[in-house]
Amino acid sequence: MAGAGSARGGAYRVLARKYRPRSFDDLIGQEPMVRTLKNAFETGRIAQAYMLTGVRGVGKTTTARILARALNYELPGRVSAPTIDMPELGVHCAEIMEGRHVDVIEMDAASHTGVGDIREIIEAVRYRPVSARYKVYILDEVHMLSGAAFNALLKTLEEPPEHVKFVFATTEIRKVPITVLSRCQRFDLRRIEAATLIGLLGRVAEAEGIAIEPEALAMIARAGEGSARDSLSILDQAIAHGAGADDPLVRAEEVRAMLGLADRARVVDLFEAVMAGRTAEALALLKAQYDVGAEPAVVLQDLAAFTHFVTRLKIVPEAADDPAVPEEERRRGAAFAERLSLRVLSRAWQMLLKGIDEVQGASRPLAAADMVLVRIAHAADLPTPDEALRLLKEGAFRSAASASVPGGSAPGSAASEPPPAPRLSAVAAPMRAEIAAPAPVPSPQPAPQARQEPAIRFSRWEDLVAFVGTKRDVPLKISLERHARPMRLEQGLIEFEPVGDPPSGLASELARKLSDWTGERWTAVLGRGATSRTLDEAKAAQQEKNVADARSDPLVAAVLARFPGARIVDVRVHAADEVAAALPSPDATVDIVDEIEDATED
């Protein structure tokens, strides 16, 4: 075939250059631009400047050359005007497409950024083309020009001679001044769809005489990320890696190993294990893919991509028709979309995005990826914050707690006490329950009297704060005393209203530390409309009451009256027996006052 012969007979040309489009018919994925240019050429509405923008490898420079060819297309005796219909090579076509035509000047703006370079263009545009119809200036990466260079180009760009056309290409359209954009017709070249890239890669492989598995083509198209040049470069590498002289077949396993990708089927298995909360299985699957060469960050990226695919299937079922997705992924993805809720998928997506950044910056990527999977699996049975607040307001915890005890118990028995409130996972639909197989028949509930009570219970808010004090966590104890107005206290559940300037994350810190200290799962949520006071507020109010009571006592009133300006500084409350022993009898009250008066006279 042509590819093999060229490789042996002379200098090898990479596929991205060998199969570069030479006409608008060869361009793939840019149909809106082609239609606009065709209508403009047919009606004679040809602009003086064009701005082509898009990501790398979508064909900006190639389109600029094809545009220059269309402007100067000429077939003696048949075609003498600009046209985008170029079925055969014209007089100037070969030289233009090879970048060596004297009237089509290509300039790399990244290496010609100054005013002097633009001044050369301004001086040269006055002269007519040597042989072509138009003199075309192609400036690649035009956003690299300096501000002064852009300003120097403005006048010529707005009113160029009729024989001059400008074509600009850039990947950073936001860096181009608006004064330049307003003088150009702008075309945004789109990323090429995966299905279109698969077709292109298949045709190129066939032309090169190379057999390649369809799954390998899909891998290359996904790795190309919408870039034809990147996809062809990866295909070039895959052919060199996998297609030997004895076996000219490029297999998917070889492409996966070359790219360091994860096995897509194993990624789906990993997704299922994580969503079901099977942490040990998920870690084993990740380690297995790491052992065969898959990078942990790439595995998480593929896991995030599949999460996104399942989410799209749930919202847009037609997404299952994408030919770039293997049949196995479409089938299992549709099943996941039916069982998983949007909140579960969106939370997994957010945790994966954050985890990918952590893995990419970690000194031990595999360990970091393990911890990401552990977090996602651990969050399997947690509701979102808004759902937790809604459940709290609706009283779902109490109803769930009462429903969990079948038949109740006899009055007065030890088991008649109210059962502890269920954890959040008992109310919210857990992730692992959504993805697991149909639940088996539940086993009989144990008798109420056999249920074991938690080791530590708090009947009052003061008891909980005192318990925190016994753990010597002084900052947390002070924060609870000053900034928390209790609203609800049940086993496993705390609700309070923050006041003042509480520390950030007070509720989550309290829940985490209580869970560690007690061995039970605790949840702390914030609420509004508390009717109780903080402990500090209650203490201050009680102190004011004690002072008022002391001021109304006859003995204290007599002392305050005898000494003008005196005030009560502190009131200390002792036990009843201590008070009875310390205070004198009522008959001695007058004697005490007399003694005080005598002492002051002396």
Side-chain angles (χ1 to χ4, degrees):
M1 300 299 288
S6 60
R8 287 191 288 265
Y12 177 72
R13 296 182 66 193
V14 296
L15 299 181
R17 291 183 58 194
K18 184 177 180 180
Y19 294 95
R20 172 176 282 178
R22 304 178 67 85
S23 67
F24 286 108
D25 294 334
D26 298 334
L27 281 177
I28 59 174
Q30 311 301 337
E31 289 78 11
M33 179 192 68
V34 174
R35 178 180 179 181
T36 302
L37 290 175
K38 180 177 181 180
N39 295 337
F41 275 55
E42 288 178 352
T43 59
R45 297 178 177 273
I46 302 176
Q48 78 274 12
Y50 298 91
M51 180 69 69
L52 307 177
T53 179
V55 298
R56 84 267 181 249
V58 293
K60 298 183 295 297
T61 305
T62 298
T63 301
R65 290 183 179 180
I66 295 174
L67 188 55
R69 178 189 173 192
L71 290 169
N72 291 311
Y73 190 69
E74 181 180 351
L75 288 176
R78 287 186 289 172
V79 180
S80 59
T83 179
I84 69 168
D85 297 321
M86 300 173 285
E88 56 183 285
L89 290 178
V91 176
H92 310 286
C93 293
E95 295 179 349
I96 292 175
M97 295 309 297
E98 294 173 4
R100 55 185 178 85
H101 196 284
V102 66
D103 292 323
V104 178
I105 301 94
E106 292 190 31
M107 187 179 79
D108 178 20
S111 56
H112 299 79
T113 62
V115 177
D117 301 303
I118 299 300
R119 187 179 294 116
E120 293 180 5
I121 296 177
I122 296 173
E123 294 294 332
V125 296
R126 297 182 298 173
Y127 303 102
R128 299 189 63 83
V130 176
S131 60
R133 183 180 301 112
Y134 291 105
K135 182 179 287 188
V136 183
Y137 288 90
I138 300 176
L139 274 69
D140 199 8
E141 301 300 337
V142 69
H143 66 274
M144 299 295 291
L145 289 179
S146 65
F150 273 124
N151 293 333
L153 185 61
L154 287 179
K155 187 63 178 178
T156 302
L157 184 61
E158 184 173 15
E159 298 179 359
E162 60 181 9
H163 58 269
V164 174
K165 302 294 180 183
F166 290 95
V167 184
F168 302 132
T170 179
T171 55
E172 300 285 348
I173 191 64
R174 290 187 177 91
K175 295 183 180 180
V176 180
I178 190 64
T179 51
V180 174
L181 292 177
S182 64
R183 291 165 168 82
C184 305
Q185 277 194 9
R186 172 177 168 178
F187 292 100
D188 291 83
L189 278 66
R190 303 180 300 177
R191 290 181 184 268
I192 305 172
E193 295 180 356
T196 306
L197 281 176
I198 291 174
L200 171 66
L201 297 174
R203 293 191 298 271
V204 171
E206 183 179 358
E208 291 290 309
I210 300 296
I212 182 169
E213 293 181 351
E215 186 179 352
L217 288 177
M219 288 182 186
I220 296 173
R222 286 195 297 266
E225 297 181 346
S227 169
R229 183 178 62 219
D230 290 4
S231 300
L232 289 172
S233 298
I234 297 173
L235 176 62
D236 223 340
Q237 182 180 356
I239 293 174
H241 178 80
D246 298 334
D247 186 9
L249 174 64
V250 179
R251 294 179 172 82
E253 294 182 0
E254 297 168 344
V255 174
R256 183 182 299 111
M258 180 192 74
L259 296 176
L261 297 178
D263 189 335
R264 299 290 291 188
R266 291 187 178 183
V267 168
V268 180
D269 294 338
L270 178 61
F271 178 86
E272 180 176 2
V274 171
M275 293 301 177
R278 301 195 297 266
T279 310
E281 180 182 347
L283 297 182
L285 287 171
L286 176 61
K287 183 63 166 60
Q289 296 192 62
Y290 178 78
D291 290 340
V292 297
E295 292 294 331
V298 176
V299 176
L300 293 188
Q301 288 171 356
D302 288 347
L303 191 61
F306 187 73
T307 303
H308 171 257
F309 176 66
V310 174
T311 306
R312 282 183 55 85
L313 286 179
K314 191 169 188 67
I315 301 174
V316 186
E318 293 78 10
D321 299 333
D322 187 356
V325 181
E327 177 62 28
E328 179 71 8
E329 290 186 32
R330 283 184 277 175
R331 181 183 63 80
R332 297 182 67 181
F336 291 138
E338 292 179 359
R339 295 197 293 264
L340 293 175
S341 64
L342 280 177
R343 70 166 180 85
V344 168
L345 294 170
S346 61
R347 179 166 56 191
W349 168 261
Q350 293 171 356
M351 298 178 74
L352 283 169
L353 283 187
K354 182 179 180 181
I356 290 170
D357 291 338
E358 293 178 0
V359 172
Q360 290 175 339
S363 58
R364 298 177 58 195
L366 179 60
D370 282 343
M371 297 308 297
V372 173
L373 297 183
V374 169
R375 286 203 302 267
I376 298 176
H378 181 71
D381 59 352
L382 295 180
T384 57
D386 58 328
E387 289 174 334
L389 290 176
R390 177 176 55 80
L391 293 171
L392 289 172
K393 293 178 179 178
E394 293 175 355
F397 290 97
R398 300 190 178 213
S399 60
S402 60
S404 63
V405 183
S409 57
S413 64
S416 62
E417 298 182 6
R423 297 181 294 181
L424 286 175
S425 57
V427 183
M431 191 185 308
R432 57 174 62 104
E434 292 174 339
I435 197 170
V441 178
S443 58
Q445 294 288 338
Q449 59 271 17
R451 187 172 63 251
Q452 183 178 0
E453 293 292 335
I456 300 177
R457 299 181 63 89
F458 305 109
S459 58
R460 301 184 307 154
W461 178 256
E462 293 82 354
D463 298 338
L464 186 147
V465 177
F467 175 76
V468 174
T470 62
K471 297 300 180 179
R472 299 184 182 276
D473 195 333
V474 177
L476 179 58
K477 180 176 181 294
I478 293 176
S479 297
L480 295 177
E481 291 174 343
R482 294 180 179 177
H483 304 296
R485 291 176 177 170
M487 298 177 63
R488 179 184 301 184
L489 177 60
E490 300 176 2
Q491 193 65 23
L493 175 62
I494 302 169
E495 184 178 8
F496 64 89
E497 178 182 5
V499 295
D501 187 16
S504 177
L506 177 58
S508 59
E509 181 184 6
L510 175 61
R512 177 177 58 82
K513 291 186 176 180
L514 282 178
S515 299
D516 294 340
W517 291 334
T518 64
E520 298 284 333
R521 175 175 290 186
W522 283 83
T523 300
V525 295
L526 304 180
R528 291 183 178 275
T531 57
S532 60
R533 303 170 180 176
T534 67
L535 292 183
D536 278 5
E537 291 173 342
K539 186 183 298 183
Q542 183 62 41
Q543 183 69 3
E544 291 180 1
K545 181 178 182 301
N546 292 340
V547 170
D549 293 343
R551 186 178 289 111
S552 62
D553 183 89
L555 176 59
V556 177
V559 172
L560 294 177
R562 183 66 181 81
F563 299 98
R567 60 188 179 87
I568 300 174
V569 177
D570 188 18
V571 176
R572 298 181 182 180
V573 179
H574 299 276
D577 53 348
E578 296 178 0
V579 174
L583 289 180
S585 63
D587 298 336
T589 303
V590 178
D591 297 337
I592 293 175
V593 175
D594 293 340
E595 291 178 3
I596 295 176
E597 292 179 349
D598 295 341
T600 54
E601 290 177 356
D602 295 340

